[in-house]
Amino acid sequence: MHPRDQTIFALSSGRPPSAIAIVRVSGPAAGEVVRRLCGKLPSARRASRRLLRDVGGEAIDDAVVLWFPAPASATGEDVAEFHVHGGRAVLTALVAAISAIPNVRTAEPGEFTRRAFENGKLDLTEAEGLDDLIHADTDRQRRQALRQLQGLLGDRARDWRERIIEASALIEAGIDFSDEGDVPAELIAPALRAIGALHGEIAKVLAAQGKAERLRDGLVVAIAGPPNVGKSTLINQLARREVAIVSPHAGTTRDVIEVQLDLDGYPVTVMDTAGIRETDDPVEQEGVRRARARAADADLVLWLTDGGQTGEAPSAGSTPVWTVRNKIDLESGGLSPEAGPGKGPVFAISAKQGEGLADLIKALVEFAASFFGTSEGALVTRARQRELLSGAAEALARSLELVDAGEELAAEELRAAAYALGRLLGRVDVEDILGAIFQKFCIGK
């Protein structure tokens, strides 16, 4: 039996022990699994309390069982759910009982969602939205992923594809009736208007996205500066826990330390880097090299000084550099008005005492809001989606340019545009990317 024809099962809730655990089963033998464990099938889509027994008749657990016959289920197949007590022994016994049934096996990562995709329960953009929702760390990521899961992009792409096919049909009809005088012109003119409108809509979506897809990965902020100016103390304050070793000795941080933050719903990765200075220590030299490299790749650099030293800010290309003067609690003369090595704003803080941190965090939130732009209503959240939409828009533009050279050439470009949108939805020629997408899901989803 082909693996896709087998029945799969997995724990679809959190790791045991837990109050309740949910084991999900999907496939043609799901009904047989329920009958073996419960005696008979419960009413469809109604929670039923049943005593589960293994093949030897020994009781496993007093459970709640749900039965969803195909096609009205999450995967489009027969689906059963067993809601049991979340102890390890209960789950071990239940898994052993299900595994003993022929043609039933444990699910691979993302296999439930892949079956839902293959059975037309969701398109590829919705599957990507589900993946993003599972991995969302902040509220803004959650809202963006939920919009994608609800079909915000998929619905538009289906509408665009249908309209492209309609325009293509008009042009090809014009080709077929090319010997009928003014018939081709009557068919091609509305097709060209439709193509122009479609191109404008897709181009507008692409232009409006900005860096909305970066919300999935987050903003990267590097804390850099000379040794012993308080970089590790600052990252500990931002993280509100000790993630880096704080020491009065220069050169304590040798490698890059990263911490994930949620700043007003924006995902931010803050990096504590090694102190940048000239040194003969080969280990510290490697830390300095990594610090410079990570600072150059960051979206924002916080160049930390302690007033007594400024050092030389790393070359960051177009990356903005903010100067943060630390240890103002030890200064007597107050903040000097001169700008730091970066041309951006200057902040005065005491990482140890917390003074000035509120203003710095507020500025970081404002920078993140500007960096990500508005993500409300954002359609494009992945590079794959942007590339395929761009390909469709380019094909539409070429069809408008080529129509005077020959309707056949324009029709071919329309087919290319429809094909790109089909790939976006996962309905044509996407086998090569399905594994890469669904293997990132957890087992049981």
Side-chain angles (χ1 to χ4, degrees):
M1 179 178 288
H2 193 278
R4 294 184 183 177
D5 297 325
Q6 294 177 326
T7 297
I8 58 174
F9 75 95
L11 174 67
S12 294
S13 55
R15 294 180 180 180
S18 60
I20 299 294
I22 301 174
V23 175
R24 178 186 291 176
V25 184
S26 179
E32 179 63 19
V33 172
V34 175
R35 282 188 287 267
R36 291 278 191 101
L37 271 63
C38 303
K40 64 177 182 179
L41 288 175
S43 300
R45 286 172 288 280
R46 295 188 64 182
S48 302
R49 182 179 176 184
R50 298 295 175 88
L51 180 64
L52 306 183
R53 297 182 181 275
D54 62 19
V55 292
E58 183 176 349
I60 298 173
D61 192 22
D62 189 4
V64 172
V65 180
L66 290 165
W67 168 243
F68 303 94
S73 70
T75 64
E77 304 175 327
D78 287 343
V79 172
E81 288 185 359
F82 300 95
H83 297 233
V84 299
H85 294 94
R88 291 187 177 89
V90 173
L91 287 171
T92 299
L94 179 57
V95 167
I98 297 175
S99 299
I101 300 173
N103 294 320
V104 179
R105 61 174 175 82
T106 55
E108 298 293 332
E111 193 167 5
F112 286 96
T113 305
R114 179 160 182 166
R115 290 191 177 199
F117 163 75
E118 291 171 342
N119 291 322
K121 290 296 180 178
L122 72 172
D123 62 42
L124 199 54
T125 66
E126 292 166 336
E128 289 171 327
L130 179 57
D131 181 36
D132 291 343
L133 188 62
I134 292 170
H135 294 99
D137 292 321
T138 72
D139 191 58
R140 294 180 190 274
Q141 287 178 318
R142 176 192 62 79
R143 294 203 301 265
Q144 177 172 284
L146 187 58
R147 288 193 298 271
Q148 199 75 289
L149 177 58
Q150 293 172 336
L152 188 66
L153 174 60
D155 291 346
R156 292 287 298 276
R158 274 186 289 273
D159 175 64
W160 289 332
R161 190 166 186 263
E162 290 173 2
R163 289 160 62 189
I164 289 173
I165 292 172
E166 291 173 0
S168 180
L170 290 174
I171 288 182
E172 292 184 10
I175 297 172
D176 293 338
F177 292 99
S178 59
D179 57 347
E180 298 293 330
D182 60 352
V183 172
E186 293 179 354
L187 294 173
I188 292 176
L192 294 180
R193 287 194 296 271
I195 295 169
L198 281 165
H199 178 266
E201 289 180 25
I202 297 176
K204 184 177 179 180
V205 167
L206 289 169
Q209 296 310 303
K211 298 183 179 178
E213 59 261 41
R214 282 295 309 272
L215 188 63
R216 294 180 57 249
D217 303 318
L219 177 73
V220 178
V221 177
I223 302 176
N228 205 29
V229 293
K231 296 185 295 297
S232 297
T233 302
L234 177 57
I235 196 172
N236 288 343
Q237 283 278 24
L238 293 173
R240 298 183 180 180
R241 58 189 175 90
E242 292 189 4
V243 295
I245 298 173
V246 176
S247 168
H249 302 291
T252 301
T253 302
R254 298 297 184 93
D255 205 347
V256 177
I257 298 173
E258 297 185 2
V259 61
Q260 311 296 322
L261 302 181
D262 178 348
L263 294 183
D264 194 32
Y266 294 109
V268 178
T269 299
V270 180
M271 301 184 300
D272 176 22
T273 62
I276 296 179
R277 66 171 181 175
E278 296 298 326
T279 176
D280 295 327
D281 185 337
V283 177
E284 191 176 353
Q285 285 177 348
E286 176 61 18
V288 171
R289 186 196 67 78
R290 294 186 183 185
R292 292 184 182 276
R294 297 306 294 271
D297 292 337
D299 301 308
L300 173 67
V301 175
L302 302 182
W303 182 254
L304 202 64
T305 73
D306 63 1
Q309 53 181 326
T310 59
E312 181 183 352
S315 175
S318 60
T319 302
V321 180
W322 294 359
T323 300
V324 181
R325 288 191 56 187
N326 190 24
K327 304 182 182 180
I328 60 171
D329 54 313
L330 303 180
E331 297 180 10
S332 58
L335 176 62
S336 174
E338 69 269 11
K343 296 182 179 180
V346 180
F347 298 87
I349 69 167
S350 170
K352 184 176 181 179
Q353 302 297 331
E355 186 178 350
L357 283 179
D359 291 337
L360 177 60
I361 292 173
K362 180 182 178 182
L364 287 173
V365 171
E366 292 173 351
F367 180 86
S370 174
F371 180 85
F372 291 120
T374 175
S375 61
E376 296 299 324
L379 294 182
V380 178
T381 60
R382 296 190 177 215
R384 183 192 78 88
Q385 298 167 0
R386 177 174 292 278
E387 290 171 3
L388 290 171
L389 274 184
S390 296
E394 291 167 3
L396 290 173
R398 288 194 298 269
S399 70
L400 292 172
E401 295 171 357
L402 293 172
V403 68
D404 292 335
E407 290 88 348
E408 295 88 349
L409 297 176
E412 184 62 29
E413 292 297 339
L414 290 180
R415 281 190 286 270
Y419 182 77
L421 293 178
R423 282 181 59 85
L424 175 68
L425 295 167
R427 296 308 174 205
V428 292
D429 189 29
V430 292
E431 191 66 28
D432 55 333
I433 66 171
L434 293 184
I437 290 175
F438 290 111
Q439 70 183 4
K440 297 178 182 178
F441 282 69
C442 55
I443 294 175
K445 193 59 182 172

